[in-house]
Amino acid sequence: MPDVNGENNHKKIILNTIGQHILKTHNKMKEKHLVCQGAICKCQFGTTPDKLVVKTQSKRYINDKEGLSKLTATNVDIGSTFDKNTFGSCAKMNNNPCAPVVTKWEGYYDKITVVDNGGKALLEDSKATCAVSGTPSIEIVFHGQTAEPNLQNVNNARPEVLAHLMPFVEEKLNGYYYNYNGIYEGNITNQKKGNANDVYACNGKGNEEGDFLNAKKLDITHEDFCLVAGIIKLESGSNDYNELKCISNTASNRAKHKKITLRILLEKGEPIGNSKYIPYSTVPKKDKKQLDDSNITSYDSNTRKALIDVLNGGSDNSYSAELWDGDDFLVWGAGEINPYGKISHAKFREYAFIKIPKDIYEKYKKEIIDKYGANISYGDGGTHIKLAENNQEHTHYSTPKGTKKIKYSIPQSVFSNKENWGNGYFYYDTKQNKSEGLVATTTYGRTIFWKLQKK
């Protein structure tokens, strides 16, 4: 036990029914575990957890009758005080490798002093400030204590309490586990509970094998999760987390509207009867493959992170969008013959009107022009019709190797026509006999997102 200086009428250190040292407030019945060496920590700007190492004292232990490993952690455990001393990649350093240096702890319990180093005891909700972030970004997700109950603890505990608290009777659940940063942590099999194809989000690994912290089951199978993630990654224009999340939200909104699964929507499309589907995703069928758990680039992790956030009920940054478009919407517009023999972009043929707030349009256009300049070229596969091309804005050319190309201006003239602008937004009546139009809700990367609106 750590040495205690001073008394407190409301708080004391007690040994709970499973032999763990906790700080208990009697008047409100709040409990906080003391922290020891081996506690699992994570940084809000990192991608992986790390274990706390106590280097400032070597005599004071918690729940460690042999005095081997569970050293009491205090607020003077600063500097490079973690096992691997890394939280993966650091968002504060453009995803370069993390090398945390703790400058201070806050939220410690100043009524307990460890005499060997003069430090105050850390609690499970204490936070550390890193020299890189400059903020209390490091938190404790597991206090590090393990149960060492004696016979008196067991005899004094109610059976139903022991059933819930004793770690050696806790059953593990089959399934695949990912942390909230989209990194695969591992899977559990051959247990009595849970399906081997279940998917869980968690706060990382605990001390023991197969121990995943604060695991929460997601409403999707592992097979579907990997396939949906693979398609979403290809639908995005870049490794932009907000774009990936917005695509995930948009697809989820559409799937709920159509009362189908995300996998059916993205893999096959929207059902129209007789086992037929209207395609939703433009990713070619041959490229619709699972994002394997072994793929660990930041692009892969961001894709899973975005999908996990949506499945976990996170905020909808698409603002109820159900559809999206990329570069081609701005390029083909309302009159260009596209490379596939169709006049104008599909949205101008399939909906009653198009409405885009000016700020969304300008941001969307800028991203595309920054990428391609004033023109973009597509391959000419021979399906491009040349009817009435005198009224078209594109041109044909061949590369030095003889490859036929079609060059389009950015943006198509419908967006430059002042008659289609007014009151801070672009508005175009397509003259199509449709009951719904489209209103742009936001843009990320080179993708614009749409919600449906009655005419």
Side-chain angles (χ1 to χ4, degrees), residues 296-314:
I296 55 173
T297 67
S298 63
Y299 204 163
D300 301 319
S301 298
N302 275 336
T303 301
R304 296 191 196 96
K305 178 181 177 181
L307 181 55
I308 288 170
D309 185 81
V310 172
L311 293 171
N312 194 39

Side-chain angles (χ1 to χ4, degrees), residues 210-231:
D211 181 19
F212 300 100
L213 305 175
N214 302 319
K216 180 178 180 181
K217 187 174 180 294
L218 303 179
D219 188 19
I220 195 169
T221 66
H222 180 248
E223 183 179 338
D224 287 9
F225 178 83
C226 292
L227 182 60
V228 168
I231 297 172

Side-chain angles (χ1 to χ4, degrees), residues 274-288:
N274 298 321
S275 299
K276 294 182 179 180
Y277 298 85
I278 298 174
Y280 181 81
S281 167
T282 59
V283 173
K285 184 177 180 180
K286 64 181 179 62
D287 296 328
K288 291 182 177 180

